[in-house]
Amino acid sequence: MWWIVVLILSFHAVIGLGISPAKTTLFSEETTIYSGNFLVVNNDAEDMDVGISSQGQLAQYITLETTHLSLHKDGGIGTVYFTVKLPASSGSLPPGESLGAIVVQQERASSGTGGSDVGGSIGSQLVLYHKIIVQGPYPEKYVAAKLNFYESGQSIRLVSEVENLGTKPINEVKTTFYVNDKEQNPQVLETEKTSLQSKEDKLLDAHIERKSFERGEFGVLAVTEYDGQKTEVAKKLIVGRPEVDITYFDPYFIAHEVNPYSIDLLNKWNTLVENVFVDVDIKKDGQKIDSFRTKSIDIGAELSKRINDYFDAKDKSPGTYSFEMVVNFLNIYTMETKTFNSELLSRKETESREEVLANVNRSALAGEAAASSSGNPFPTMLLTIIPWLLLGLVLGAVLFYILWRYFHRNEYEGGKEREGML
């Protein structure tokens, strides 16, 4: 029974302030000056002050007799009087509907100390609208257009719905679609030409291959030309649905400790994806033992971004664990579950693995250094070879001298003997 009481109280809160009638509709061809009124009904059990104002496209044409009403708690009713004075020239208003509104807004009660409600109670303000709708005249030739998209097998159908709202027939009308594909190449498609009688509408279409877009959001501009005039409609073509993939998660952690972790997320959509987070279920031997949610991030179009945070494994022993992850984003999309298997190691196993990893990293750095020097090998080779060249030249000279002395020993000794005889 209690839910009935709640419903009655909620209903009373909704109808605490009411407007009757809710709108006024005018035709500019029939009326240029209109005086009207509407009632503001107070069904709340309290006195209330409301402010009156105008807004919207027609605000400049609306005149209010009062900008304030005081309503009493005993079912008080107030009347708002207004005048709408439209411009005499029909060209001052656009064809079709122009909108405005008279706003009735509850005024905040003051605290009684200088009109400020600082430190007072927090409450809501009721805001109601009386709509003013003016139907402007259409010229003799006027085409209104709408744009829609439909998937048709391996192609996408671009549809321009055109309607002749003027008083005279349209001899020739066509629509040209402009859109950039996934490679940012401009695509231009034209519909067939046709005619339109007054008040007649038709569908003009063109087809484009779906593979040109694959996935993402693409702006489409439809330009409809008719008898020397044109109108433009822009709309977003959405192909497929946004997708964010998990491309990396840490392969091991330290058991019985708080561990930093990293998750890499790839945005495969061609626009920014906001409020991306991952729900993670941790399982051991097929049984869920823990769960956590990552912080939220925004990822740019077709970019990868890393989430760094901490995973509490204080109560988890060594072993292999599965991390079942679900990516959520934009508050509406949920990706399929993706599972990563990670090992929880003891501190000793971790240190041993880190030492091996450090050796691998040192080898890689040495390889990088060798690779960087190989980009300009001549100076390095020259510095290495020069000492050996010098040593070789010295040894060669010594060896040459010894061999020369050996092969010319007779001449050398004979010369000595002749020198002694003299």
Side-chain angles (χ1 to χ4, degrees):
M1 200 66 184
W2 58 271
W3 61 270
I4 298 178
V5 177
V6 173
L7 182 61
I8 293 174
L9 291 175
S10 300
F11 183 71
H12 176 74
V14 171
I15 65 171
L17 192 65
I19 284 181
S20 180
K23 67 179 180 179
T24 297
T25 302
L26 304 174
F27 294 87
S28 62
E29 290 181 298
E30 301 174 359
T31 306
T32 56
I33 299 178
Y34 173 83
S35 295
N37 64 80
F38 60 88
L39 302 179
V40 181
V41 182
N42 179 18
N43 294 312
D44 251 337
E46 61 180 27
D47 293 334
M48 185 184 301
D49 291 330
V50 297
I52 315 295
S53 61
S54 61
Q55 68 176 31
Q57 193 176 1
L58 299 172
Q60 59 181 316
Y61 306 120
I62 300 173
T63 302
L64 300 169
E65 285 196 9
T66 180
T67 58
H68 178 85
L69 284 178
S70 293
L71 304 175
H72 300 291
K73 62 183 178 181
D74 56 352
I77 297 177
T79 303
V80 176
Y81 295 94
F82 65 91
T83 301
V84 179
K85 186 176 181 180
L86 301 175
S89 172
S90 60
S92 299
L93 289 176
E97 286 188 351
S98 297
L99 303 176
I102 298 175
V103 184
V104 178
Q105 181 171 354
Q106 179 185 5
E107 296 178 343
R108 292 187 182 275
S110 68
S111 63
T113 57
S116 173
D117 61 350
V118 176
S121 61
I122 299 175
S124 60
Q125 287 179 289
L126 292 173
V127 181
L128 298 176
Y129 299 89
H130 178 85
K131 294 181 181 178
I132 306 293
I133 303 171
V134 174
Q135 183 70 46
Y138 292 106
E140 292 179 343
K141 292 190 176 185
Y142 185 86
V143 170
K146 298 177 183 177
L147 177 58
N148 287 295
F149 315 109
Y150 304 93
E151 287 198 41
S152 178
Q154 298 302 312
S155 66
I156 297 173
R157 183 179 174 223
L158 310 179
V159 179
S160 173
E161 181 181 351
V162 292
E163 182 179 6
N164 181 8
L165 298 176
T167 56
K168 289 188 175 182
I170 302 297
N171 298 319
E172 188 177 278
V173 58
K174 73 169 184 178
T175 298
T176 305
F177 302 101
Y178 300 89
V179 58
N180 287 349
D181 62 20
K182 64 181 179 181
E183 304 296 337
Q184 293 302 306
N185 297 317
Q187 304 287 337
V188 181
L189 302 96
E190 288 189 358
T191 69
E192 62 180 3
K193 297 177 182 179
T194 187
S195 59
L196 279 177
Q197 298 300 314
S198 179
K199 311 307 178 187
E200 183 183 15
D201 66 272
K202 289 183 179 179
L203 300 180
L204 306 178
D205 65 359
H207 290 75
I208 191 168
E209 290 186 347
R210 192 185 191 280
K211 66 180 181 181
S212 300
F213 299 93
E214 186 177 348
R215 168 194 305 121
E217 301 178 12
F218 307 88
V220 180
L221 176 65
V223 180
T224 300
E225 299 175 83
Y226 60 97
D227 290 358
Q229 301 183 59
K230 71 177 181 179
T231 182
E232 297 182 358
V233 179
K235 194 174 181 180
K236 192 174 291 184
L237 168 64
I238 299 177
V239 181
R241 56 170 285 169
E243 182 178 346
V244 177
D245 189 24
I246 305 171
T247 58
Y248 173 82
F249 183 65
D250 295 294
Y252 71 90
F253 298 98
I254 305 174
H256 306 300
E257 294 189 18
V258 175
N259 296 264
Y261 72 79
S262 299
I263 297 177
D264 286 350
L265 300 173
L266 173 63
N267 174 19
K268 296 184 177 181
W269 201 239
N270 68 344
T271 60
L272 173 73
V273 174
E274 299 178 315
N275 191 32
V276 183
F277 61 91
V278 183
D279 286 322
V280 183
D281 286 341
I282 305 172
K283 292 186 177 182
K284 182 75 165 64
D285 299 327
Q287 300 295 318
K288 179 179 174 181
I289 61 171
D290 203 353
S291 64
F292 64 89
R293 172 175 287 183
T294 70
K295 59 187 177 183
S296 298
I297 60 172
D298 299 336
I299 310 178
E302 299 177 338
L303 293 178
S304 182
K305 196 168 185 180
R306 172 165 289 187
I307 295 178
N308 292 311
D309 214 329
Y310 291 89
F311 157 54
D312 187 357
K314 287 182 179 179
D315 59 347
K316 296 173 179 60
S317 57
T320 300
Y321 292 75
S322 62
F323 291 75
E324 296 184 354
M325 304 186 183
V326 177
V327 181
N328 306 269
F329 51 94
L330 298 176
N331 297 322
I332 53 173
Y333 290 101
T334 300
M335 303 303 299
E336 294 183 359
T337 302
K338 191 166 186 177
T339 301
F340 290 83
N341 292 320
S342 299
E343 290 184 75
L344 265 66
L345 307 173
S346 65
R347 167 58 68 178
K348 185 176 181 180
E349 290 175 316
T350 304
E351 291 174 352
S352 175
R353 184 167 297 198
E354 288 177 349
E355 183 177 350
V356 172
L357 183 62
N359 290 334
V360 171
N361 288 337
R362 281 194 290 271
S363 298
L365 289 173
E368 289 177 5
S372 63
S373 65
S374 65
N376 189 13
F378 182 73
T380 304
M381 291 175 62
L382 192 61
L383 291 174
T384 305
I385 292 173
I386 284 176
W388 293 103
L389 289 174
L390 292 175
L391 180 61
L393 289 173
V394 171
L395 291 175
V398 171
L399 181 61
F400 176 79
Y401 177 74
I402 293 172
L403 291 173
W404 185 86
R405 286 288 303 269
Y406 176 78
F407 288 113
H408 295 80
R409 61 184 182 278
N410 293 331
E411 298 177 10
Y412 182 77
E413 290 175 355
K416 286 286 188 180
E417 291 177 358
R418 288 193 295 272
E419 187 177 317
M421 292 174 64
L422 293 174

